[in-house]
Amino acid sequence: NRHLVVAGGVAANQVLRHRLEELVTTKGWTLTVPPARLCTDNGVMVAWAAIERLKQGIADDPTDMEVRPRWPLGGSSGVLRV
């Protein structure tokens, strides 16, 4: 089962949230979106994403990570193809 996780300003936008819910329903996916009140503060979003991962038993080794303060939005940056 595929999952789409949306956070930050995109998740705060009710129109986009509704359209994404429609999309994942047609694809048979699961949409995971935090409460709208948590979608405006990036620090809260990072913490929420970490909590969701920990609840699934997923933990990254902090000594084996690539830190990229400016992530590219084009090319092969993980663009969703539906």
Side-chain angles (χ1 to χ4, degrees), residues 7-18:
V10 172
N13 183 312
Q14 294 301 311
V15 172
L16 289 175
R17 188 185 288 230
H18 179 71

Side-chain angles (χ1 to χ4, degrees), residues 45-62:
M45 291 310 316
V46 170
W48 181 81
I51 289 168
E52 290 298 319
R53 289 173 57 86
L54 287 173
K55 285 179 4 186
Q56 295 180 29
I58 302 169
D60 295 311
D61 179 358

Side-chain angles (χ1 to χ4, degrees), residues 24-81:
V24 298
T25 299
T26 64
K27 298 288 184 183
W29 297 359
T30 301
L31 178 64
T32 302
V33 184
R37 67 182 176 15
L38 301 179
C39 294
T40 58
D41 184 319
N42 194 45
V44 172
M45 291 310 316
V46 170
W48 181 81
I51 289 168
E52 290 298 319
R53 289 173 57 86
L54 287 173
K55 285 179 4 186
Q56 295 180 29
I58 302 169
D60 295 311
D61 179 358
T63 63
D64 186 33
M65 292 185 180
E66 177 185 358
V67 177
R68 297 179 83 179
R70 300 280 187 260
W71 198 270
L73 296 177
S76 62
S77 62
V79 175
L80 175 66
R81 298 185 201 314

